């Protein structure tokens, strides 16, 4: 076993880069590693093998989300109560009932219906934001806007208010990063502001329902009861924040990967209509730069994992980032291979009840924007240092300086 203290998977580590070297050593020497947390928080077992991440994800009876939340650090009773109103923080059967309320908005049929609109937005973004020869921050000028416009339209946020959601998302998701948030107080303030905003929209939808997810939530019933305003607020935050943060970071990570792998970029740019290639490339984008580091579960009873006894109430943290480089599953896992097939990545979770609701929507947006980008601007390079989010949960890129070269094809 690797001695405690030789591994650090907390926020400061991720701010400086993805700790692949640590994960490689953990998978090889100590795949269920006890990890201390400084201060009052209990430590956790870091689970790094692909097979174990999948097994834990698919056994919610043994590995609970609701018992201790999905965050690495223990939460206050007040925070824990709120997190249990979010889909990510629920166990079955409550999770299944609440997930059913919004799942219709993310079915393959719905995503196919949205695809044309997503494509139009991708065209508009690339045409309006990308200028050959100009240095730009790809995150704030391009990657942020396709997912936030898409999810806001689906949920029912009025056009023009996307920037409000963008600001609240940054302050809430960036609560561990002083560049995006002034700390817990600022994150709490952002939450209060978005709740108040949701309250006003909810009142309007009670009187005038529309064909959007918020109207569905306002008028839905679970076990014969309407959702409380707090439950609606938590749904709204999850959809608006998670629905744009994750895809924004996937898009940014993909452009970073393509900047660092010009041969793969050229191959894609030369094959805009090769759907088989674009499908396999999209899965590799997801494996390479998944937007969530991990997910915590809590043992509901005493158990054993790879020979390590784990007591009831202890927590395990499953690392998708490590699972997606597992040598037992992926040939040459540190090779960026846009033709990789099969590709059993865990970018959307390890399966089971918490598999990402928006997986199809994310795939559609990534493919649409990257294809449009390479169609018109196939040559680009990094124009400075990349800044990563200080977070032990979100694999975020705050700043991605890119310089685009010559134009490609034109309509």
């Amino acid at each position: 076993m690797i001695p405690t203290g030789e591994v650090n998977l907390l926020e400061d580590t991720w701010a400086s880069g993805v700790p692949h070297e640590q994960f490689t050593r953990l998978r090889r020497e100590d795949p269920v590693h006890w990890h201390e947390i400084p201060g009052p928080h209990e430590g956790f077992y870091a689970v790094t093998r692909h097979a174990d991440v999948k097994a834990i994800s698919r056994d919610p009876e043994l590995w609970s989300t609701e018992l201790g939340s999905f965050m690495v650090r223990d939460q206050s009773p007040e925070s824990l109560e709120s997190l249990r109103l979010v889909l990510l923080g629920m166990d079955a059967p409550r999770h299944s009932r609440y997930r059913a309320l919004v799942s219709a908005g993310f079915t393959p049929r719905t995503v196919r219906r949205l695809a044309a609109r997503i494509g139009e937005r991708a065209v508009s973004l690339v045409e309006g934001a990308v200028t050959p020869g100009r240095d730009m921050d790809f995150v704030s000028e391009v990657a942020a806007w396709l997912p936030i416009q898409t999810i806001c339209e689906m949920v029912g946020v009025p056009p023009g208010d996307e920037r409000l959601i963008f600001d609240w998302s940054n302050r809430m998701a960036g609560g561990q990063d002083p560049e995006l948030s002034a700390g817990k107080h600022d994150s709490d303030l952002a939450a209060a502001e978005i709740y108040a905003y949701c309250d006003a929209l909810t009142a309007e939808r009670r009187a005038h329902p529309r064909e959007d997810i918020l109207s569905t939530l306002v008028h839905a019933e679970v076990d014969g009861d309407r959702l409380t305003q707090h439950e609606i607020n938590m749904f709204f935050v999850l959809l608006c924040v998670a629905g744009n943060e994750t895809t924004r970071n996937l898009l940014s990570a993909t452009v970073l990967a393509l900047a660092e792998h010009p041969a793969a970029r050229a191959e894609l740019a030369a094959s805009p209509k090769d759907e088989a290639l674009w499908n396999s490339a999209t899965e590799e984008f997801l494996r390479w730069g998944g937007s969530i580091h991990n997910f915590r579960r809590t043992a509901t009873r005493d158990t054993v994992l790879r020979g390590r006894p784990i007591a009831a109430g202890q927590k395990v943290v499953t690392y998708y980032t490590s699972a997606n480089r597992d040598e037992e599953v992926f040939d040459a896992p540190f090779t960026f291979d846009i033709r990789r097939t099969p590709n059993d990545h865990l970018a959307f979770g390890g399966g089971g009840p918490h598999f990402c609701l928006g997986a199809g929507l994310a795939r559609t947006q990534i493919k649409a924007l990257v294809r449009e980008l390479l169609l018109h601007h196939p040559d680009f390079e990094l124009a400075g240092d990349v800044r990563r989010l200080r977070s032990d949960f979100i694999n975020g890129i705050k700043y991605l300086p890119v310089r685009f070269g010559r134009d490609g094809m034109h309509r």
Side-chain angles (χ1 to χ4, degrees):
M1 293 186 295
I2 300 173
T4 294
E6 289 191 16
V7 171
N8 183 353
L9 301 177
L10 301 179
E11 349 22 351
D12 286 335
T13 294
W14 295 90
S16 60
V18 180
H20 287 303
E21 296 83 1
Q22 294 192 54
F23 283 131
T24 298
R25 186 182 176 196
L26 286 171
R27 287 192 302 273
R28 182 177 62 245
E29 300 178 26
D30 195 9
V32 183
H33 171 77
W34 177 253
H35 192 302
E36 296 284 359
I37 300 178
H41 302 278
E42 290 289 334
F44 61 92
Y45 287 100
V47 178
T48 52
R49 280 285 183 190
H50 188 282
D52 297 331
V53 173
K54 287 183 74 171
I56 289 170
S57 301
R58 298 178 186 206
D59 190 358
E61 187 274 328
L62 174 57
W63 303 107
S64 167
T65 302
E66 195 167 317
L67 189 60
S69 98
F70 52 89
M71 306 297 290
V72 169
R73 282 176 167 75
D74 298 317
Q75 305 294 306
S76 68
E78 297 77 18
S79 295
L80 191 56
E81 184 178 353
S82 290
L83 289 175
R84 286 171 177 162
L85 297 178
V86 177
L87 279 175
L88 294 177
M90 294 181 184
D91 289 335
R94 196 162 67 102
H95 175 271
S96 303
R97 294 196 294 267
Y98 279 80
R99 185 179 171 111
L101 295 178
V102 295
S103 59
F106 297 90
T107 62
R109 171 188 262 181
T110 302
V111 173
R112 284 194 297 271
R113 193 167 64 244
L114 290 168
R117 184 83 172 119
I118 291 169
E120 292 169 1
R121 285 196 172 109
V123 170
S124 179
L125 271 170
V126 172
E127 288 181 348
V130 180
T131 302
R134 180 176 75 87
D135 293 2
M136 66 181 301
D137 172 26
F138 187 81
V139 177
S140 63
E141 296 188 55
V142 180
W145 298 108
L146 181 61
I148 205 166
Q149 289 168 352
T150 300
I151 196 64
C152 282
E153 179 180 358
M154 293 172 67
V155 173
V157 172
D161 284 357
E162 294 91 351
R163 189 166 289 279
L164 291 171
I165 303 297
F166 176 73
D167 175 64
W168 289 324
S169 296
N170 275 348
R171 290 162 59 199
M172 294 176 71
Q176 294 178 321
D177 192 315
E179 188 174 353
L180 296 181
S181 171
K184 185 177 186 305
H185 173 74
D186 188 47
S187 295
D188 290 346
L189 181 60
E193 291 168 356
I194 199 171
Y195 293 162
Y197 179 85
C198 181
D199 290 347
L201 283 185
T202 298
E204 195 275 335
R205 292 302 193 278
R206 290 194 197 282
H208 305 288
R210 304 180 190 180
E211 291 187 1
D212 55 37
I213 293 175
L214 183 58
S215 295
T216 299
L217 294 173
V218 168
H219 295 277
E221 293 185 357
V222 176
D223 297 335
D225 295 323
R226 291 282 178 91
L227 300 184
T228 67
Q229 185 60 54
H230 192 38
E231 288 174 318
I232 293 171
N233 286 345
M234 296 304 290
F235 256 114
F236 185 83
V237 167
L238 175 67
L239 291 166
C240 288
V241 176
N244 90 81
E245 275 290 332
T246 52
T247 307
R248 177 206 311 180
N249 289 316
L250 285 167
L251 287 167
S252 300
T254 296
V255 168
L256 174 60
L258 291 173
E260 294 175 335
H261 297 86
R265 185 176 75 239
E267 186 176 359
L268 283 168
S271 308
K273 296 183 179 181
D274 186 340
E275 287 303 317
L277 174 60
W278 276 91
N279 287 339
S280 64
T282 300
E283 298 310 305
E284 185 70 345
F285 300 158
L286 293 163
R287 183 189 77 90
W288 194 258
S291 57
I292 300 297
H293 300 315
N294 57 52
F295 203 84
R296 167 191 166 183
R297 267 60 169 214
T298 303
T300 61
R301 63 177 184 271
D302 294 351
T303 189
V304 176
L305 183 63
R306 286 192 184 258
R308 296 295 297 266
I310 298 175
Q314 287 192 304
K315 53 189 173 184
V316 298
V317 178
T318 55
Y319 281 92
Y320 306 128
T321 301
S322 177
N324 285 339
R325 299 292 194 281
D326 193 334
E327 301 81 357
E328 292 183 354
V329 176
F330 303 100
D331 293 333
F334 290 95
T335 298
F336 182 67
D337 180 4
I338 59 174
R339 294 186 179 273
R340 184 183 297 275
T341 304
N343 193 338
D344 188 21
H345 66 76
L346 305 185
F348 296 122
H354 286 282
F355 185 80
C356 178
L357 190 63
L361 185 65
R363 285 185 171 103
T364 299
Q365 293 182 89
I366 293 166
K367 192 185 298 184
L369 184 61
V370 175
R371 180 146 45 185
E372 187 65 24
L373 192 67
L374 294 185
L375 186 66
H376 293 284
H377 305 282
D379 292 338
F380 54 86
E381 61 184 2
L382 292 180
D385 294 332
V386 177
R387 294 208 303 270
R388 292 186 172 273
L389 183 68
R390 182 183 182 271
S391 171
D392 56 19
F393 182 58
I394 297 171
N395 185 17
I397 295 177
K398 296 184 294 186
Y399 179 66
L400 180 61
V402 177
R403 181 182 303 117
F404 288 88
R406 64 177 176 82
D407 284 356
M409 297 169 57
H410 293 277
R411 287 185 177 84

